[in-house]
Amino acid sequence: MKEVMRVVNKNFYISTAIAYSSQSPHIGNVYEIILADAIARFKRLDGHNVYFQTGTDEHGQKIENKAKIKGIKPKEYVDEVSTLIRTIYDSIDISYDNFVRTTDVFHEESVQAIFNKLLENDDIYLGKYQGYYSISEEAFVFEKDLVDGKCPGGDIPIWTEEETYFFRLSKYQDRLIDYINKNPLFIQPESRKNEMLNNFLKDKLPDLSVSRSSFKWGVPILNSDHVIYVWIDALSNYITGLGYNPNLPLNKKFKDFWPADVHLVGKDIVRFHTIYWPIILMALGLELPKQVFGHPWILFNKEKMSKSTGNVKYTDELVKLFGVDVVRYYCLHDIPFAQDGNLTYELIVERNNSDLSNTLGNLVNRTIGMVNKYQGGTLYKVLLPELSPINLSEEAIQLLPKIRSHFDKLNVSLALDEIVNFARDCNKYIDLNAPWTLYKETNTERLKHVLYTLIESIRFIGILLQPFIPSSSLKILDAIKVSNTSFESLSTFGLIEGVKLDIGHAIFERFDLEKKIKEIEENV
Ligand code: MSP
């Protein structure tokens, strides 16, 4: 028998971007959390000691303005939004180990200490800024980047002259370029790495303004009326969440999990994570993360989701229409590795019907139905030499190693494909072996073998689906009375003992496209 489990008990740290607490996150923001969750769950089942961190980014002028409009304090505002975000994550089964808020006292104190350390090292100095500033992007913008007086994002910037602290980024530029070149997996996918090297790191990095005095809602800089630039504050969450503070000795959690294995972020913020963040870490004398993975975006009907177009899709709305696991499945299966993925109601219905209902659901119900019909609900443990051209026991044993290699490249949709394709083979196996004929011909031993092989294959499917659709996978395993859900149990094909099965229940619903679209038009 092949070695299926890797003998490891390695620590694995995965993080997501922390969501802005200016508004409810849409399905695009939440996609990233679902992706990280699938990876975290897979790694845990595969013997790693996982630390999965997410959280909320709660400072900045935008939030200060929104709170003012609502007539409440910024802290009250972010308390509401952060709670909402956490409720959404909980509702879609996100198994984070730590949820950092940038208004947490420990985080704020650490960020202040980080800033002071950089100041003491002369990485940061007090200077004067003159130029354009975009409120919506919370960044200074170069005149050369303006089109008709507007920022690339469409915002009209304002002219500002103010004292500000600057970070000497270029001091670390050569070291960073060297690191990127020597660690080909640091920036993934490859296209993002080239973008960083060829666009942003080609010329000398200008000093970065890292403080603001035009608003108050941020971490204050000691002995000054400035607050710390929101990106230094936000990026630091990856280490403050582990208990890092430059004034304190490094603790066990930090030593165990830093450097992070993967920072999962959207393609728009790869630059912050692969230029500013590594430079901050170098200045602090800390190791750099092993990988920053810039995932693509979700488009709705092939268009960018935006409030002005009115096509923003919220997770709770989609979950209400389709259910948690359908939304998770869609996000994990249909958003490709390197290019933007498209979401439409029709595509969700199609994917649900073809993969979840027709392939997986049918397989489970048909098989349990046949065990009931031909064997009075009793499963007999009989494995004979395979006569069929489809050898499910061999395929099943190879599944985990194949899936693991896709996860190693964070290619989650290919991992999911392996399972669904295996389920398709199981359905073909039923047609090829025609249990109904074996029953008529009283070929009892072969019938027992075929049904046992199918239930064992379903066990593999149920166990392997746990990272993707945790609650449905448990329903599948419950239906075939499997309680050992570990990956270790996948090293043997033939683990289930003879057992009495109940009558199957539909695990996945089939949607009628027309009815569903009508329901959506009436309710959304
Ligand atoms: N607060 C910053 C991140 C700071 S991390 C130190 C931020 N927040 S965000 O709420 O705007 O975005 C959260 C994540 O969602 C980001 O990784 C962003 O790229 C991602 N996405 C935003 N729109 C998206 C889609 N339409 N599709 C997929 N991901 C999207 O940026």
Side-chain angles (χ1 to χ4, degrees):
M1 191 199 319
K2 297 214 177 75
E3 182 65 44
V4 197
M5 279 304 292
R6 270 195 296 203
V7 190
V8 281
N9 190 11
K10 237 182 69 188
N11 294 330
F12 182 85
Y13 174 9
I14 181 165
S15 67
T16 68
I18 48 173
Y20 276 130
S21 300
S22 50
Q23 59 190 30
S24 174
H26 56 59
I27 186 65
N29 309 127
V30 175
Y31 156 67
E32 178 177 310
I33 318 293
I34 295 177
L35 187 60
D37 182 63
I39 298 166
R41 284 177 186 268
F42 178 85
K43 292 282 181 187
R44 278 189 206 113
L45 281 159
D46 207 24
H48 289 75
N49 180 24
V50 171
Y51 175 69
F52 169 18
Q53 184 178 295
T54 187
T56 38
D57 186 356
E58 307 188 3
H59 290 122
Q61 187 160 17
K62 229 188 283 177
I63 289 171
E64 188 178 271
N65 291 350
K66 288 218 168 179
K68 201 182 275 169
I69 293 168
K70 264 191 116 179
I72 55 176
K73 297 223 165 67
K75 180 65 169 58
E76 278 174 67
Y77 184 86
V78 293
D79 280 349
E80 265 175 38
V81 182
S82 178
T83 305
L84 171 72
I85 291 175
R86 212 169 160 145
T87 312
I88 292 173
Y89 292 178
D90 291 342
S91 77
I92 52 164
D93 292 338
I94 304 301
S95 62
Y96 53 81
D97 298 294
N98 192 14
F99 191 98
V100 174
R101 298 183 57 185
T102 56
T103 54
D104 287 339
V105 174
F106 181 82
H107 172 85
E108 291 192 347
E109 283 173 1
S110 300
V111 168
Q112 257 182 355
I114 288 170
F115 194 91
N116 279 350
K117 181 161 177 184
L118 301 180
L119 205 56
E120 280 162 21
N121 288 353
D122 194 36
D123 288 313
I124 288 178
Y125 65 92
L126 185 61
K128 195 168 177 121
Y129 178 83
Q130 286 184 317
Y132 286 102
Y133 181 73
S134 156
I135 296 189
S136 88
E137 282 161 35
E138 304 202 12
F140 292 105
V141 278
F142 296 113
E143 212 159 344
K144 67 174 175 59
D145 294 330
L146 301 180
V147 182
D148 296 332
K150 288 186 186 166
C151 302
D155 179 41
I156 300 176
I158 46 169
W159 180 260
T160 358
E161 283 188 26
E162 63 181 49
E163 217 180 35
T164 181
Y165 288 87
F166 285 100
F167 193 144
R168 302 180 206 278
L169 295 181
S170 58
K171 193 169 146 189
Y172 297 94
Q173 187 162 357
D174 289 344
R175 258 177 76 189
L176 176 60
I177 294 173
D178 195 48
Y179 185 83
I180 296 174
N181 285 327
K182 285 199 178 128
N183 295 276
L185 295 179
F186 174 52
I187 308 178
Q188 283 294 308
E190 186 79 11
S191 54
R192 313 256 179 254
K193 174 169 100 183
N194 299 335
E195 196 185 339
M196 293 306 126
L197 284 174
N198 303 335
N199 292 355
F200 299 108
L201 289 167
K202 215 164 127 246
D203 300 321
K204 184 179 170 211
L205 287 167
D207 290 351
L208 174 72
S209 158
V210 289
S211 73
R212 300 287 182 268
S213 54
S214 49
F215 62 92
K216 290 271 159 270
W217 184 236
V219 178
I221 294 172
L222 296 173
N223 309 319
S224 115
D225 58 354
H226 289 225
V227 292
I228 296 170
Y229 176 48
V230 74
W231 273 99
I232 292 207
D233 172 11
L235 289 162
S236 299
N237 92 86
Y238 299 127
I239 49 178
T240 65
L242 292 172
Y244 176 82
N245 179 319
N247 297 336
L248 302 175
L250 296 179
N251 66 10
K252 176 161 174 3
K253 197 170 165 192
F254 185 87
K255 286 185 196 155
D256 281 349
F257 291 107
W258 192 259
D261 291 82
V262 192
H263 287 321
L264 195 61
V265 300
K267 60 179 185 178
D268 56 321
I269 55 172
V270 169
R271 181 161 64 105
F272 297 93
H273 284 81
T274 58
I275 298 180
Y276 301 162
W277 180 227
I279 287 179
I280 296 171
L281 289 166
M282 284 182 199
L284 291 171
L286 297 176
E287 282 184 79
L288 306 197
K290 291 179 209 156
Q291 185 166 88
V292 175
F293 188 91
H295 64 74
W297 271 30
I298 292 192
L299 307 175
F300 186 74
N301 280 330
K302 299 204 169 150
E303 279 180 34
K304 190 175 164 182
M305 283 186 266
S306 94
K307 275 209 157 164
S308 53
T309 332
N311 67 348
V312 181
K313 296 296 150 203
Y314 294 97
T315 316
D316 39 353
E317 187 187 292
L318 292 170
V319 165
K320 217 159 117 198
L321 287 168
F322 301 105
V324 172
D325 280 350
V326 176
V327 172
R328 286 182 64 110
Y329 187 88
Y330 190 84
C331 286
L332 295 170
H333 188 270
D334 280 71
I335 308 304
F337 181 63
Q339 321 101 30
D340 289 343
N342 194 26
L343 182 142
T344 69
Y345 295 127
E346 289 79 2
L347 286 173
I348 298 184
V349 169
E350 258 174 47
R351 182 59 69 205
N352 172 73
N353 289 354
S354 75
D355 291 9
L356 294 178
S357 168
N358 288 1
T359 304
L360 291 165
N362 245 348
L363 170 66
V364 177
N365 286 329
R366 255 173 118 188
T367 308
I368 294 178
M370 290 189 292
V371 173
N372 275 297
K373 192 163 167 198
Y374 304 138
Q375 299 183 164
T378 302
L379 183 73
Y380 299 98
K381 183 171 179 181
V382 173
L383 276 176
L384 303 174
E386 192 52 78
L387 298 177
S388 152
I390 293 180
N391 191 325
L392 293 181
S393 61
E394 268 182 18
E395 274 188 50
I397 289 287
Q398 285 158 15
L399 276 176
L400 178 56
K402 281 192 195 162
I403 290 173
R404 181 183 291 132
S405 94
H406 294 310
F407 266 100
D408 283 345
K409 298 183 203 95
L410 303 191
N411 213 329
V412 174
S413 75
L414 287 186
L416 200 39
D417 264 342
E418 298 284 353
I419 307 172
V420 182
N421 288 338
F422 178 65
R424 288 203 178 95
D425 278 354
C426 292
N427 280 322
K428 277 190 217 149
Y429 182 87
I430 299 180
D431 298 338
L432 279 173
N433 286 284
W436 42 92
T437 311
L438 297 175
Y439 177 71
K440 254 193 229 149
E441 292 168 353
T442 54
N443 195 345
T444 321
E445 284 306 288
R446 184 59 47 193
L447 178 63
K448 285 179 183 168
H449 159 82
V450 168
L451 293 179
Y452 185 80
T453 300
L454 284 165
I455 294 284
E456 262 294 283
S457 301
I458 293 171
R459 179 173 74 84
F460 274 72
I461 292 173
I463 291 174
L464 288 167
L465 279 175
Q466 291 176 95
F468 308 92
I469 44 174
S471 92
S472 306
S473 68
L474 289 184
K475 281 188 201 154
I476 294 175
L477 294 169
D478 250 18
I480 57 167
K481 302 268 177 69
V482 168
S483 53
N484 180 355
T485 59
S486 70
F487 276 6
E488 283 89 343
S489 71
L490 299 182
S491 46
T492 310
F493 191 91
L495 214 67
I496 298 185
E497 294 304 325
V499 66
K500 184 101 181 143
L501 300 183
D502 302 328
I503 298 175
H505 300 287
I507 292 168
F508 301 104
E509 192 187 340
R510 199 188 146 73
F511 301 129
D512 179 301
L513 181 62
E514 261 177 48
K515 266 198 212 152
K516 202 70 194 170
I517 298 295
K518 203 162 159 242
E519 181 193 329
I520 294 167
E521 281 165 358
E522 281 165 7
N523 294 300
V524 178

